[in-house]
Amino acid sequence: MSRVCEITKKKPMAGHNVSHSEIKTNRRFLPNLQVVSFLSEILGTKVSMTVSSRGLKTVEANGGIDAYLLNTGNSKLTDEAKKLKARIQKCLEKKSAK
C-alpha cells in the first residue's frame, strides 16, 4: 500500500528533528491515512479507498463520493479515482438510456 491519499494526493514529506543543541536528524512526516468504505449510490456498492482525514472531509462536504468525483476534474484525481469516476459515468449513461 502506498502512502498516498486517493482524493487529495497527499504523500509523505521529509524534514528534520531538531534537538535543543540544534542537531538535525532526518525524519518523515506521514499523512493521516485511513481506509474508508464510501457508499456509492449510483453504483449501489461500497467503494474502499485510502483517504486522508482532509480528503474524507472534502468528500463529505461535496455530498458523497459520487458527487465529488463527477464535479472534480481528472487532473486533480489519482488513477484509481479516475477509474472509479469512469465506472460511475458509465453507470449513469446506462441508467439514462433506459
Side-chain angles (χ1 to χ4, degrees):
M1 169 180 121
S2 65
R3 292 186 169 139
V4 178
C5 174
E6 295 181 21
I7 300 295
T8 61
K9 294 185 181 178
K10 279 189 180 183
K11 46 189 160 178
M13 294 174 53
H16 297 289
N17 280 336
V18 181
S19 68
H20 179 70
S21 62
E22 296 189 20
I23 296 173
K24 295 169 182 66
T25 55
N26 294 332
R27 67 160 291 182
R28 291 179 63 183
F29 296 93
L30 301 176
N32 183 11
L33 295 179
Q34 308 295 324
V35 177
V36 179
S37 293
F38 293 108
L39 179 62
S40 174
E41 296 173 1
I42 295 173
L43 296 175
T45 60
K46 288 184 179 180
V47 180
S48 182
M49 299 178 86
T50 304
V51 180
S52 65
S53 57
R54 172 55 52 194
L56 181 60
K57 291 176 187 177
T58 302
V59 169
E60 293 302 320
N62 284 297
I65 191 69
D66 298 330
Y68 173 76
L69 290 175
L70 292 174
N71 294 328
T72 305
N74 283 341
S75 63
K76 294 184 179 181
L77 298 175
T78 60
D79 292 335
E80 295 297 321
K82 288 178 192 175
K83 290 177 187 175
L84 180 59
K85 181 178 179 177
R87 280 179 49 201
I88 291 171
Q89 288 175 336
K90 189 174 182 180
C91 189
L92 277 176
E93 290 173 2
K94 284 184 180 178
K95 287 183 179 180
S96 65
K98 287 183 179 180

